[in-house]
Amino acid sequence: VTKRVEKIDDFLEFLARASGPVPGGEIAALRGFYLHNLIATGPTGFVFHGRDPQLCRDVAIKVLAPSIARVPEQKQVFIDEARLASTVLHDNVVLIHHVSAEPDSHLVFYAMEWINGPTLQDWLEQHIQPEFHRDHAMSLLRQLADGLAAIHEHGIIHRDLKPANLMLDSSGKRLKIVDFGIAFEAAQDLNLSDPVGTPLYMSPEQLRSGTATQASDIFSLAEIACVLIWGKHPYEENSIERLATRVTTGTPTLPSIQYGCGLAAQAVLRKALSTDPDLRFSNAVDFVDELLNAMKRTRHERVANQGKI
């Protein structure tokens, strides 16, 4: 996969040349959108907090690096990413508002819904005792499953599902899946030679060969479930090598019964974390339904046993 060569200062100079008249306090004005400030960078581009003055709303604007936009195939991948993402209309998936890709221009971007809240990763770092927030965590997990199922129904594989690619609204109650860049690069048959994604949330098949299916997203979903509900990643290690060995050999450390993860819930997690993609759940909602039902059974059993004492 082609990676950008621009440093941030180089890119800001490019924006200044491409920009229209800029109101005070704005970085640039692109095709009717104002760019407030840079909020994220990645191997293929940059993300800004921006403003749509015509509709009076904030937006997030993802701009493809010019060095990549000069490559027609890579430019088309980015455009296809936005177009395909725009077909997913779901409460738990970020909404694409506008795509700008002129044939002879190296300025390519799309504007999407602005989510005024933290990432799930930020939320997890603030709520380090999951037992006090378990009901809320289960609600977020169900929303994640619903959004992922919607993505899969459109034939999309996310490939990099992780807490940092999940956003919460300002209330912390609504979750949305964001960042499809890796997913859409992978969907275009670009002969990826290296694994793409985040090692801590990658499936065995991604670590082995870089290939992924919807079942790979289910694997990542199960890892997120462990972190979100019990505060423990099933494969956490102090090196990528050790992590890769444990993931590919199928040796997770699951939450224990004493933390509310009974045998039934452990069995559900083992299935979702199988090294064989064909043995995992075929649907994100089915996995979460079975996991939450297993947790309810464990709760009822514990209450019943306490009543017998």
Side-chain angles (χ1 to χ4, degrees), residues 20-163:
V22 182
E26 309 291 358
I27 292 177
L30 305 179
R31 310 295 190 262
F33 293 91
Y34 296 148
L35 274 58
H36 291 331
N37 58 288
L38 180 67
I39 57 174
T41 63
T44 61
F46 306 82
V47 181
F48 291 83
H49 179 195
R51 180 77 175 170
D52 180 348
Q54 299 300 318
L55 296 178
C56 300
R57 65 184 176 190
D58 286 355
V59 291
I61 299 176
K62 187 172 183 179
V63 188
L64 185 64
S67 57
I68 299 177
R70 293 187 183 98
V71 182
E73 296 82 4
Q74 294 287 340
K75 178 179 178 179
Q76 192 60 47
V77 165
F78 186 84
I79 296 169
D80 290 344
E81 165 189 343
R83 288 174 177 166
L84 190 53
S86 70
T87 67
V88 185
L89 304 177
H90 192 276
D91 285 345
N92 301 118
V93 180
V94 70
L95 180 64
I96 305 298
H97 293 314
H98 174 84
V99 182
S100 180
E102 298 174 4
D104 299 323
S105 175
H106 296 150
L107 175 62
V108 186
F109 69 89
Y110 63 83
M112 53 189 159
E113 173 185 10
W114 174 255
I115 304 170
N116 188 26
T119 66
L120 183 62
Q121 182 63 48
D122 294 332
W123 187 87
L124 288 167
E125 290 171 1
Q126 295 170 2
H127 299 81
I128 58 176
Q129 294 180 301
E131 63 272 19
F132 296 138
H133 312 281
R134 191 152 291 162
D135 287 341
H136 184 44
M138 289 189 292
S139 171
L140 295 177
L141 182 62
R142 183 171 292 285
Q143 292 180 55
L144 172 54
D146 289 343
L148 186 59
I151 289 171
H152 286 173
E153 286 172 4
H154 284 73
I156 301 169
I157 304 168
H158 192 286
R159 290 185 67 97
D160 196 24
L161 203 65
K162 59 183 179 181

Side-chain angles (χ1 to χ4, degrees), residues 84-284:
L84 190 53
S86 70
T87 67
V88 185
L89 304 177
H90 192 276
D91 285 345
N92 301 118
V93 180
V94 70
L95 180 64
I96 305 298
H97 293 314
H98 174 84
V99 182
S100 180
E102 298 174 4
D104 299 323
S105 175
H106 296 150
L107 175 62
V108 186
F109 69 89
Y110 63 83
M112 53 189 159
E113 173 185 10
W114 174 255
I115 304 170
N116 188 26
T119 66
L120 183 62
Q121 182 63 48
D122 294 332
W123 187 87
L124 288 167
E125 290 171 1
Q126 295 170 2
H127 299 81
I128 58 176
Q129 294 180 301
E131 63 272 19
F132 296 138
H133 312 281
R134 191 152 291 162
D135 287 341
H136 184 44
M138 289 189 292
S139 171
L140 295 177
L141 182 62
R142 183 171 292 285
Q143 292 180 55
L144 172 54
D146 289 343
L148 186 59
I151 289 171
H152 286 173
E153 286 172 4
H154 284 73
I156 301 169
I157 304 168
H158 192 286
R159 290 185 67 97
D160 196 24
L161 203 65
K162 59 183 179 181
N165 282 341
L166 305 170
M167 296 289 298
L168 303 181
D169 66 7
S170 57
S171 72
K173 295 179 179 179
R174 175 67 60 84
L175 177 144
K176 287 182 181 277
I177 301 172
V178 300
D179 198 348
F180 294 91
I182 288 176
F184 290 86
E185 288 173 355
Q188 303 300 317
D189 298 322
L190 294 179
N191 298 318
L192 302 180
S193 58
D194 298 318
V196 180
T198 302
L200 191 59
Y201 290 94
M202 287 172 68
S203 65
E205 58 271 20
Q206 287 174 283
L207 287 168
R208 291 191 191 104
S209 64
T211 60
T213 65
Q214 293 181 359
S216 306
D217 286 344
I218 300 295
F219 188 96
S220 302
L221 176 62
E223 293 179 303
I224 293 171
C226 291
V227 175
L228 183 56
I229 296 177
W230 292 285
K232 297 291 183 182
H233 193 286
Y235 296 102
E236 192 163 7
E237 283 290 350
N238 55 13
S239 73
I240 292 178
E241 292 77 12
R242 289 170 63 90
L243 169 69
T245 297
R246 289 191 58 203
V247 170
T248 54
T249 57
T251 53
T253 301
L254 298 178
S256 64
I257 294 176
Q258 72 183 84
Y259 289 105
C261 185
L263 296 177
Q266 289 177 356
V268 173
L269 290 170
R270 284 195 184 93
K271 179 177 178 179
L273 295 171
S274 172
T275 56
D276 183 347
D278 292 335
L279 297 181
R280 297 175 201 147
F281 291 88
S282 60
N283 184 281

